[in-house]
Amino acid sequence: MSKAELGITTSNIQPGIENSGWEPALTLRPHHATFETRTNRAILGEEDEPAALYYSVAFLGQLFGSGSFIDEFGNSITGIYRTRKSENRFITKLRQMPDDTIVQLDLTPDEVCKSCQIGKHCTATNYKAEFGIIGDIPEIDGEEILSIKSSLEDKGYIEGEDYIFKKTTHTIYNYGGKKLNEVDNPTPETVEFDSMLLKLGTLREAIQHIK
């Protein structure tokens, strides 16, 4: 659905939210919340994926992938271990966070991004990954927020009371449809993004409904 269909307009962006009880304690990339397996399961309090599966996929990605696996895990078993260890700290913390924690869904690299051994893809757009071209990242993450908003509306949550939007500005890097390791100087782009702020308990309900 479009922003207009879901009612996101400039008037919905709340000014001065830092002084009105909406100071975020946690930032998440929207797609990490909705479909990145480990983060999604941690938010919902579900059992983590098997470690053996994680290591197998990461290792095969290093051997046969297009470069984004190397970007995440490095080029060695040690890199996979380091990424997993860093993710584990965040996953454990996220699983234990109380429902009243304020979360900002935004393009800012989060703790999952910071676990990457290289991490170019965390600020990249229009690059070639394992399954084809990854398109407009702000648009993709924006669509995830729209899905969350739609879920919240279905459950009777009210914008301005249960969740709000805040415009943020970011620099991302366009790889022109090429692999991350094929472009030395990707084109920087400045983008505005309608980030969403809400309580973690509210997010838990929203993504459970999406799932």
Short mmCIF file of all heavy atoms in Angstrom, two decimals, residues 13-41:
data_model
loop_
_atom_site.label_atom_id
_atom_site.label_comp_id
_atom_site.label_asym_id
_atom_site.label_seq_id
_atom_site.Cartn_x
_atom_site.Cartn_y
_atom_site.Cartn_z
N ILE A 13 4.17 13.67 10.89
CA ILE A 13 5.50 13.65 11.48
C ILE A 13 5.50 14.55 12.71
O ILE A 13 5.23 15.73 12.62
CB ILE A 13 6.56 14.13 10.47
CG1 ILE A 13 6.42 13.34 9.16
CG2 ILE A 13 7.94 13.98 11.05
CD1 ILE A 13 6.59 11.85 9.31
N GLN A 14 5.79 13.97 13.87
CA GLN A 14 5.65 14.70 15.12
C GLN A 14 6.92 15.48 15.46
O GLN A 14 8.00 14.90 15.54
CB GLN A 14 5.35 13.71 16.26
CG GLN A 14 4.11 12.87 16.01
CD GLN A 14 2.85 13.71 15.99
OE1 GLN A 14 2.66 14.56 16.86
NE2 GLN A 14 2.01 13.51 15.02
N PRO A 15 6.84 16.79 15.67
CA PRO A 15 8.02 17.58 16.05
C PRO A 15 8.33 17.42 17.53
O PRO A 15 7.45 17.16 18.34
CB PRO A 15 7.57 19.02 15.75
CG PRO A 15 6.09 18.99 15.99
CD PRO A 15 5.64 17.62 15.53
N GLY A 16 9.59 17.60 17.88
CA GLY A 16 9.97 17.64 19.28
C GLY A 16 9.72 16.36 20.05
O GLY A 16 9.45 16.40 21.25
N ILE A 17 9.78 15.21 19.40
CA ILE A 17 9.41 13.98 20.09
C ILE A 17 10.38 13.62 21.20
O ILE A 17 10.00 12.94 22.15
CB ILE A 17 9.29 12.80 19.12
CG1 ILE A 17 10.64 12.53 18.45
CG2 ILE A 17 8.22 13.02 18.10
CD1 ILE A 17 10.66 11.24 17.68
N GLU A 18 11.63 14.08 21.11
CA GLU A 18 12.61 13.73 22.14
C GLU A 18 12.17 14.25 23.51
O GLU A 18 12.58 13.72 24.54
CB GLU A 18 13.99 14.29 21.79
CG GLU A 18 14.65 13.64 20.60
CD GLU A 18 14.17 14.23 19.27
OE1 GLU A 18 13.34 15.15 19.30
OE2 GLU A 18 14.65 13.78 18.23
N ASN A 19 11.35 15.29 23.53
CA ASN A 19 10.92 15.89 24.79
C ASN A 19 9.51 15.48 25.18
O ASN A 19 8.91 16.07 26.07
CB ASN A 19 10.99 17.43 24.67
CG ASN A 19 12.41 17.90 24.39
OD1 ASN A 19 13.36 17.42 24.99
ND2 ASN A 19 12.55 18.84 23.48
N SER A 20 8.96 14.47 24.53
CA SER A 20 7.58 14.10 24.81
C SER A 20 7.43 12.61 25.11
O SER A 20 6.40 12.02 24.84
CB SER A 20 6.68 14.49 23.62
OG SER A 20 7.11 13.80 22.45
N GLY A 21 8.48 12.00 25.66
CA GLY A 21 8.38 10.60 26.06
C GLY A 21 8.68 9.60 24.97
O GLY A 21 8.48 8.40 25.16
N TRP A 22 9.19 10.07 23.83
CA TRP A 22 9.47 9.17 22.71
C TRP A 22 10.97 9.05 22.44
O TRP A 22 11.37 8.82 21.31
CB TRP A 22 8.74 9.67 21.45
CG TRP A 22 7.26 9.47 21.50
CD1 TRP A 22 6.33 10.40 21.82
CD2 TRP A 22 6.56 8.26 21.22
NE1 TRP A 22 5.08 9.85 21.75
CE2 TRP A 22 5.18 8.53 21.38
CE3 TRP A 22 6.95 6.98 20.83
CZ2 TRP A 22 4.20 7.57 21.19
CZ3 TRP A 22 5.96 6.01 20.64
CH2 TRP A 22 4.61 6.31 20.82
N GLU A 23 11.79 9.20 23.45
CA GLU A 23 13.23 9.04 23.28
C GLU A 23 13.55 7.56 23.11
O GLU A 23 13.32 6.76 24.02
CB GLU A 23 13.97 9.61 24.49
CG GLU A 23 15.48 9.51 24.40
CD GLU A 23 16.06 10.39 23.32
OE1 GLU A 23 15.48 11.46 23.04
OE2 GLU A 23 17.11 10.01 22.76
N PRO A 24 14.08 7.14 21.95
CA PRO A 24 14.30 5.70 21.72
C PRO A 24 15.47 5.15 22.52
O PRO A 24 16.51 5.79 22.67
CB PRO A 24 14.58 5.64 20.22
CG PRO A 24 15.11 6.99 19.86
CD PRO A 24 14.41 7.96 20.78
N ALA A 25 15.29 3.93 23.03
CA ALA A 25 16.35 3.21 23.72
C ALA A 25 16.98 2.17 22.79
O ALA A 25 18.01 1.58 23.13
CB ALA A 25 15.80 2.52 24.96
N LEU A 26 16.35 1.95 21.64
CA LEU A 26 16.80 0.91 20.72
C LEU A 26 16.46 1.33 19.30
O LEU A 26 15.37 1.84 19.04
CB LEU A 26 16.09 -0.41 21.04
CG LEU A 26 16.29 -1.59 20.08
CD1 LEU A 26 17.74 -2.10 20.18
CD2 LEU A 26 15.32 -2.70 20.40
N THR A 27 17.42 1.15 18.38
CA THR A 27 17.17 1.37 16.96
C THR A 27 17.24 0.04 16.23
O THR A 27 18.12 -0.77 16.48
CB THR A 27 18.22 2.33 16.36
OG1 THR A 27 18.11 3.61 17.00
CG2 THR A 27 17.97 2.52 14.85
N LEU A 28 16.28 -0.19 15.32
CA LEU A 28 16.27 -1.40 14.51
C LEU A 28 16.01 -1.04 13.06
O LEU A 28 15.20 -0.15 12.76
CB LEU A 28 15.15 -2.36 14.96
CG LEU A 28 15.36 -3.18 16.23
CD1 LEU A 28 14.08 -3.95 16.56
CD2 LEU A 28 16.52 -4.15 16.05
N ARG A 29 16.71 -1.71 12.15
CA ARG A 29 16.33 -1.62 10.75
C ARG A 29 14.99 -2.32 10.58
O ARG A 29 14.79 -3.43 11.11
CB ARG A 29 17.39 -2.29 9.87
CG ARG A 29 18.75 -1.61 9.88
CD ARG A 29 18.72 -0.24 9.21
NE ARG A 29 18.45 -0.32 7.80
CZ ARG A 29 19.38 -0.46 6.84
NH1 ARG A 29 20.66 -0.55 7.18
NH2 ARG A 29 19.04 -0.50 5.57
N PRO A 30 14.04 -1.72 9.88
CA PRO A 30 12.71 -2.32 9.76
C PRO A 30 12.73 -3.77 9.26
O PRO A 30 12.01 -4.62 9.80
CB PRO A 30 12.00 -1.39 8.78
CG PRO A 30 12.65 -0.06 9.01
CD PRO A 30 14.09 -0.37 9.28
N HIS A 31 13.56 -4.06 8.24
CA HIS A 31 13.55 -5.43 7.71
C HIS A 31 14.17 -6.42 8.69
O HIS A 31 13.85 -7.61 8.64
CB HIS A 31 14.26 -5.50 6.35
CG HIS A 31 15.74 -5.30 6.39
ND1 HIS A 31 16.34 -4.05 6.37
CD2 HIS A 31 16.77 -6.20 6.45
CE1 HIS A 31 17.65 -4.19 6.42
NE2 HIS A 31 17.94 -5.48 6.47
N HIS A 32 15.01 -5.97 9.60
CA HIS A 32 15.53 -6.87 10.63
C HIS A 32 14.39 -7.28 11.57
O HIS A 32 14.33 -8.43 12.02
CB HIS A 32 16.64 -6.19 11.43
CG HIS A 32 17.92 -6.07 10.68
ND1 HIS A 32 18.95 -5.23 11.08
CD2 HIS A 32 18.36 -6.67 9.54
CE1 HIS A 32 19.96 -5.34 10.23
NE2 HIS A 32 19.62 -6.20 9.29
N ALA A 33 13.51 -6.34 11.87
CA ALA A 33 12.40 -6.64 12.77
C ALA A 33 11.38 -7.58 12.14
O ALA A 33 10.84 -8.47 12.80
CB ALA A 33 11.70 -5.34 13.19
N THR A 34 11.16 -7.43 10.84
CA THR A 34 10.07 -8.19 10.21
C THR A 34 10.48 -9.53 9.65
O THR A 34 9.71 -10.49 9.71
CB THR A 34 9.41 -7.36 9.09
OG1 THR A 34 10.43 -6.91 8.17
CG2 THR A 34 8.67 -6.15 9.66
N PHE A 35 11.71 -9.62 9.06
CA PHE A 35 12.01 -10.93 8.46
C PHE A 35 13.45 -11.41 8.61
O PHE A 35 13.78 -12.50 8.10
CB PHE A 35 11.59 -10.97 6.98
CG PHE A 35 12.32 -10.03 6.07
CD1 PHE A 35 13.60 -10.29 5.61
CD2 PHE A 35 11.69 -8.87 5.62
CE1 PHE A 35 14.26 -9.42 4.75
CE2 PHE A 35 12.34 -8.00 4.75
CZ PHE A 35 13.62 -8.28 4.32
N GLU A 36 14.33 -10.69 9.30
CA GLU A 36 15.63 -11.26 9.60
C GLU A 36 15.43 -12.26 10.73
O GLU A 36 14.99 -11.92 11.82
CB GLU A 36 16.60 -10.16 10.02
CG GLU A 36 18.08 -10.55 9.95
CD GLU A 36 18.51 -11.40 11.14
OE1 GLU A 36 18.05 -11.13 12.26
OE2 GLU A 36 19.31 -12.33 10.94
N THR A 37 15.74 -13.53 10.47
CA THR A 37 15.28 -14.63 11.30
C THR A 37 15.60 -14.48 12.78
O THR A 37 14.71 -14.55 13.64
CB THR A 37 15.85 -15.96 10.79
OG1 THR A 37 15.48 -16.13 9.43
CG2 THR A 37 15.31 -17.11 11.61
N ARG A 38 16.87 -14.26 13.11
CA ARG A 38 17.26 -14.26 14.51
C ARG A 38 16.64 -13.07 15.27
O ARG A 38 16.15 -13.22 16.39
CB ARG A 38 18.78 -14.23 14.66
CG ARG A 38 19.49 -15.40 14.01
CD ARG A 38 20.93 -15.50 14.49
NE ARG A 38 20.99 -15.97 15.87
CZ ARG A 38 22.01 -15.71 16.69
NH1 ARG A 38 23.01 -14.95 16.31
NH2 ARG A 38 22.00 -16.19 17.93
N THR A 39 16.67 -11.89 14.65
CA THR A 39 16.11 -10.71 15.29
C THR A 39 14.60 -10.84 15.46
O THR A 39 14.05 -10.55 16.52
CB THR A 39 16.43 -9.45 14.47
OG1 THR A 39 17.84 -9.39 14.22
CG2 THR A 39 16.00 -8.19 15.21
N ASN A 40 13.94 -11.30 14.40
CA ASN A 40 12.49 -11.47 14.45
C ASN A 40 12.08 -12.43 15.56
O ASN A 40 11.16 -12.17 16.34
CB ASN A 40 11.99 -11.96 13.09
CG ASN A 40 10.49 -12.12 13.03
OD1 ASN A 40 9.99 -13.20 13.33
ND2 ASN A 40 9.80 -11.09 12.61
N ARG A 41 12.78 -13.56 15.65
CA ARG A 41 12.45 -14.54 16.69
C ARG A 41 12.73 -14.01 18.09
O ARG A 41 11.99 -14.30 19.04
CB ARG A 41 13.24 -15.83 16.45
CG ARG A 41 12.76 -16.64 15.25
CD ARG A 41 13.54 -17.93 15.11
NE ARG A 41 13.00 -18.77 14.04
CZ ARG A 41 13.48 -19.96 13.70
NH1 ARG A 41 14.53 -20.45 14.34
NH2 ARG A 41 12.93 -20.66 12.73
#
